[in-house]
Amino acid sequence: SLQDQFDNLEKHTQWGIDVLEKYIKFVKERTEIELSYAKQLRNLSKKYQPKKNSKEEEEYRYTSTRAFLATLNEMNDYAGQHEVISENMTSLITGELTRYVQELKQERKSHFHDGRKAQQHIETCWKQLEASKRRFERDCKEADRAQQYFEKMDADINVTKADVEKARQQAQLRHQMAEDSKAEYSSTLQKFNSEQHEHYYTHIPNIFQKIQEMEERRIVRIGESMKTFAEVDRQVIPIIGKCLDEITKAAESVDHKNDSQMVIEAFKSGFEPPGDVDFEDFTQPMKRTVSESSLSNSRGDGKSEPKFGSKSKGKLWPFIKKNKLMSLLTSPHQPPPPPPASASPSAVPNGPQSPKQQKEPLSHRFNEFMTSKPKIHCFRSLKRGGAGPEDFSNLPPEQRRKKLQQKVDELNRDIQKEMDSRDALTKMKDVYIKNPQMGDAASVDHRLAELGQNIEKLRLEVQKFEGWLAEVEGRLPARTEPRRQSGVYEAQNAAGVNSCAQDRESPDGSYTEEQSQETEMKLPATDFDDEFDDEEPLPTIGTCKALYTFEGQNEGTISVAEGEMLYVIEEDKGDGWTRIRRNEDEEGYVPTSYVEVYLDKNAK
């Protein structure tokens, strides 16, 4: 029936709206995924970005790390395109379809309302037709009964004439009523047929047509939305392609040769390789001499000659006080004497070593040299817990030159800033002089004076660092003064200085500058000597009590009396000597067996 068709159409159109809402939900979830993906990409890019003012920033000077940084930046732009996808889908699909669904629901409701109204109208017409038909039928039956009654009365001779006339009039009345009902029924029937034709051939088809058009528009709209879904993705493909092209370009810019050269420039020291090791002839009964370049001279005889060979390449650590070099900074180059049999001071053999120490194999001393750190602390920069020297003398020549150049450039930038500030204040002062109502010209004099003093200080700093830079680059001769004469130093300390010169590596792993190659060993007494005197002494790590008297006649040793309490500043490193201090100016080595050591557990 027609009502069944309306029910079917109503269910189908509701299903179509449900499909549209399901698609809207699908697109909305897709936009949420795009936003989440973009956020994760941005967080990933941010996570691996170098932190400001950190060591990571320095690492990004290499082409490989710069390419990685470019990749991170492009990934950030890549994430932005996914955000664009989400925004466009939200505005062009979900937003538009949500509004369209609301309009579609209203239109559907209107069409089915019209259909129900038309159906109710035709049903009303049908009821009117049925009522007219029943009335016509009833009147016809009443007319037949009245006619039959009249004929019966007319045939009966016993009935009066008046009764017959009354029956005849009643029959005529009923017959007239039947005729009127027939006319009404005929009119109602004609009207119903017209309404029915209009209903089935005009109203209902129009309603169905509107419902069909509505459904077709819905189908077209969802198809267009699917097309937009693809177009939104396609629109960002060129930009995403550019991001990928930039990543490829960054990858192709990686230059292994350039990176290797940067590493070389960053770590090259400027030192020359050590000279050849001289041959030691053990067949000669004469005293063996070891060349300055030999790695074994770190334990050379304390009586070795105080001159280097003509081809020496030794490096003397700078800023060393001559009178402290041996007595304070090196341990004696001989085994400690054994403890006396008794506590008598006369029993202590403090004279020169009686049996000469047997020479250790060269390979053993080479291994010891490579694996052990020297005990000599001859740098100004080796303050315990302090920073490096101002002139970067703890660095190799090439690294020192770079640091000095950076310092000079930094100071020049500071000078330029101060000069710009001074120029600005000078102009402001001129304005105040010409227009006193704008301000007091004298109010900027104090600041101008401060800027002038700052500029002068910075210029002196620049001159100081440029002088050091010139020395490193060989443009100026090294600063020297008449060398102090020290007969004891020249005669007795040559071997110790030779050892210090050979140990290129300072205790903290840094390097020293190479001094001029001289045939005779000399240490310039520079203005840095006084600075060295001001350095902080080594911290004490405990105390000790002298068990025996030790006279300390050899270089680097210190005399102690039995029972005397002293400070320990360096433990026994396996050579049998312990370094102690009596006061700020008296420190040296004593045999470990001559003292009882009490180390501080909290000492570093």
Side-chain angles (χ1 to χ4, degrees):
S1 67
L2 185 62
Q3 184 62 40
D4 293 338
Q5 298 302 324
F6 265 101
D7 292 341
N8 292 335
L9 287 177
E10 192 170 10
K11 291 179 182 178
H12 178 76
T13 52
Q14 182 60 47
W15 172 83
I17 292 176
D18 293 342
V19 169
L20 198 56
E21 290 179 336
K22 184 186 295 185
Y23 184 73
I24 293 173
K25 186 178 179 181
F26 160 75
V27 176
K28 187 177 294 185
E29 292 183 3
R30 164 72 190 277
T31 59
E32 292 172 356
I33 291 173
E34 292 291 343
L35 281 178
S36 176
Y37 181 51
K39 182 179 179 181
Q40 291 179 15
L41 283 180
R42 288 191 185 278
N43 290 339
L44 181 66
S45 176
K46 182 179 179 181
K47 177 182 177 182
Y48 287 94
Q49 287 282 351
K51 298 178 181 178
K52 292 183 178 180
N53 302 324
S54 67
K55 185 180 178 182
E56 291 183 5
E57 274 194 335
E58 299 179 2
E59 297 174 353
Y60 279 84
R61 65 180 184 270
Y62 300 104
T63 58
S64 57
T65 48
R66 284 204 305 269
F68 178 54
L69 182 59
T71 300
L72 294 178
N73 294 332
E74 293 301 328
M75 288 306 295
N76 205 41
D77 296 340
Y78 187 91
Q81 296 309 306
H82 284 277
E83 291 175 347
V84 170
I85 291 175
S86 177
E87 292 172 1
N88 290 342
M89 286 187 175
T90 300
S91 61
L92 300 178
I93 299 178
T94 56
E96 293 293 331
L97 285 184
T98 300
R99 287 191 293 271
Y100 176 71
V101 165
Q102 298 301 323
E103 296 173 359
L104 186 63
K105 288 181 177 179
Q106 292 295 329
E107 183 180 1
R108 172 179 174 274
K109 182 178 179 181
S110 175
H111 292 328
F112 283 100
H113 176 73
D114 292 343
R116 282 191 292 271
K117 187 177 180 180
Q119 192 70 18
Q120 290 173 358
H121 176 70
I122 198 66
E123 289 176 356
T124 301
C125 292
W126 173 257
K127 289 179 180 178
Q128 291 175 355
L129 177 62
E130 286 293 319
S132 178
K133 179 181 176 182
R134 285 194 299 270
R135 187 165 53 250
F136 171 60
E137 182 181 6
R138 184 179 66 250
D139 289 343
C140 287
K141 289 180 179 179
E142 289 293 333
D144 287 342
R145 282 197 297 270
Q147 183 65 30
Q148 290 175 3
Y149 181 74
F150 166 69
E151 291 177 356
K152 181 179 179 182
M153 293 293 289
D154 186 42
D156 190 357
I157 57 175
N158 296 321
V159 178
T160 61
K161 187 175 181 180
D163 291 336
V164 174
E165 185 62 26
K166 184 179 178 180
R168 183 181 66 79
Q169 290 178 355
Q170 187 66 28
Q172 288 179 351
L173 179 61
R174 292 295 179 181
H175 183 71
Q176 186 62 40
M177 290 177 64
E179 289 295 330
D180 292 342
S181 297
K182 179 179 179 182
E184 183 185 357
Y185 170 64
S186 176
S187 174
T188 303
L189 180 60
Q190 186 178 2
K191 182 180 177 182
F192 173 76
N193 287 334
S194 176
E195 291 289 343
Q196 182 175 257
H197 186 276
E198 188 75 18
H199 176 76
Y200 285 103
Y201 288 93
T202 304
H203 295 309
I204 295 301
N206 286 339
I207 293 173
F208 283 176
Q209 183 66 31
K210 290 178 181 179
I211 294 175
Q212 180 180 349
E213 291 174 356
M214 177 192 72
E215 183 67 10
E216 289 175 352
R217 285 197 305 271
R218 179 194 65 82
I219 296 171
V220 170
R221 191 63 177 267
I222 195 171
E224 291 176 349
S225 298
M226 292 178 180
K227 184 177 180 182
T228 305
F229 182 86
E231 288 298 326
V232 167
D233 254 344
R234 186 175 290 110
Q235 286 173 1
V236 301
I237 287 177
I239 303 178
I240 291 178
K242 288 182 180 179
C243 294
L244 299 178
D245 291 341
E246 289 297 324
I247 294 175
T248 303
K249 183 178 178 181
E252 292 173 350
S253 68
V254 174
D255 186 352
H256 58 284
K257 294 291 184 183
N258 181 71
D259 285 2
S260 298
Q261 189 61 35
M262 291 180 68
V263 174
I264 293 171
E265 291 294 329
F267 297 109
K268 72 177 181 180
S269 64
F271 288 136
E272 296 181 4
D276 295 337
V277 178
D278 289 347
F279 175 75
E280 299 182 26
D281 191 355
F282 291 92
T283 61
Q284 298 296 329
M286 60 188 297
K287 181 180 179 181
R288 291 176 283 110
T289 60
V290 183
S291 67
E292 181 272 334
S293 60
S294 173
L295 294 175
S296 64
N297 65 0
S298 60
R299 294 196 175 196
D301 196 336
K303 297 182 180 180
S304 61
E305 293 299 325
K307 293 187 178 182
F308 297 114
S310 59
K311 297 182 180 180
S312 169
K313 296 183 182 294
K315 281 80 180 170
L316 298 179
W317 289 7
F319 322 128
I320 304 175
K321 286 286 284 186
K322 288 182 178 180
N323 56 359
K324 292 186 178 181
L325 182 62
M326 286 293 97
S327 62
L328 299 181
L329 302 180
T330 59
S331 63
H333 296 283
Q334 64 182 27
S342 65
S344 173
S346 61
V348 181
N350 285 327
Q353 56 184 13
S354 49
K356 186 173 291 186
Q357 181 184 1
Q358 184 178 357
K359 192 73 174 183
E360 296 184 51
L362 179 62
S363 61
H364 174 74
R365 293 193 175 184
F366 177 77
N367 292 334
E368 186 181 62
F369 172 79
M370 295 302 290
T371 56
S372 64
K373 292 186 177 180
K375 299 177 184 178
I376 306 174
H377 302 274
C378 7
F379 274 110
R380 254 188 334 113
S381 62
L382 296 183
K383 288 183 180 180
R384 296 296 175 105
E390 185 182 16
D391 61 352
F392 306 108
S393 57
N394 60 322
L395 299 176
E398 184 65 24
Q399 304 303 318
R400 185 187 180 198
R401 181 189 66 77
K402 290 182 179 179
K403 288 289 186 181
L404 290 172
Q405 186 63 53
Q406 292 176 4
K407 187 67 176 178
V408 169
D409 294 341
E410 180 183 345
L411 290 171
N412 284 330
R413 287 193 296 269
D414 293 341
I415 290 174
Q416 188 61 43
K417 290 180 181 178
E418 296 291 323
M419 292 178 68
D420 292 342
S421 299
R422 186 181 63 181
D423 294 343
L425 281 177
T426 303
K427 292 179 181 179
M428 184 184 297
K429 182 178 180 181
D430 293 341
V431 172
Y432 288 169
I433 293 174
K434 295 177 181 179
N435 302 285
Q437 68 275 9
M438 297 184 65
D440 184 11
S443 62
V444 299
D445 289 341
H446 179 67
R447 179 57 181 161
L448 283 174
E450 286 184 356
L451 289 174
Q453 293 175 1
N454 292 342
I455 292 173
E456 187 61 29
K457 290 179 182 178
L458 289 172
R459 283 176 176 167
L460 291 176
E461 286 289 311
V462 169
Q463 291 177 5
K464 180 173 65 175
F465 281 94
E466 284 181 343
W468 286 332
L469 182 62
E471 289 181 10
V472 174
E473 293 179 344
R475 296 200 301 263
L476 294 176
R479 290 172 293 173
T480 58
E481 295 178 1
R483 293 170 174 79
R484 302 174 186 175
Q485 302 299 323
S486 176
V488 176
Y489 166 76
E490 293 291 341
Q492 298 180 359
N493 298 348
V497 175
N498 190 22
S499 173
C500 181
Q502 282 299 312
D503 292 338
R504 299 162 183 257
E505 188 177 20
S506 68
D508 62 351
S510 59
Y511 289 84
T512 63
E513 289 190 44
E514 182 177 356
Q515 302 292 329
S516 59
Q517 299 178 2
E518 298 178 352
T519 59
E520 184 175 355
M521 177 189 64
K522 297 177 181 179
L523 280 176
T526 66
D527 54 351
F528 293 102
D529 292 345
D530 295 335
E531 296 181 17
F532 184 82
D533 288 340
D534 297 333
E535 294 299 298
E536 296 180 4
L538 295 175
T540 60
I541 59 175
T543 58
C544 66
K545 179 181 179 182
L547 301 177
Y548 313 103
T549 298
F550 179 71
E551 295 182 2
Q553 297 178 347
N554 296 327
E555 287 298 328
T557 61
I558 183 174
S559 61
V560 296
E562 180 181 355
E564 184 178 3
M565 297 296 296
L566 305 107
Y567 296 103
V568 178
I569 59 177
E570 189 175 296
E571 293 184 75
D572 187 350
K573 301 298 183 180
D575 54 2
W577 296 92
T578 299
R579 188 173 176 183
I580 64 172
R581 176 188 295 137
R582 178 175 287 111
N583 51 48
E584 292 184 358
D585 296 327
E586 292 186 76
E587 61 180 59
Y589 289 88
V590 296
T592 305
S593 58
Y594 276 63
V595 293
E596 184 175 0
V597 178
Y598 311 98
L599 292 179
D600 186 358
K601 294 182 179 180
N602 297 325
K604 296 182 180 179

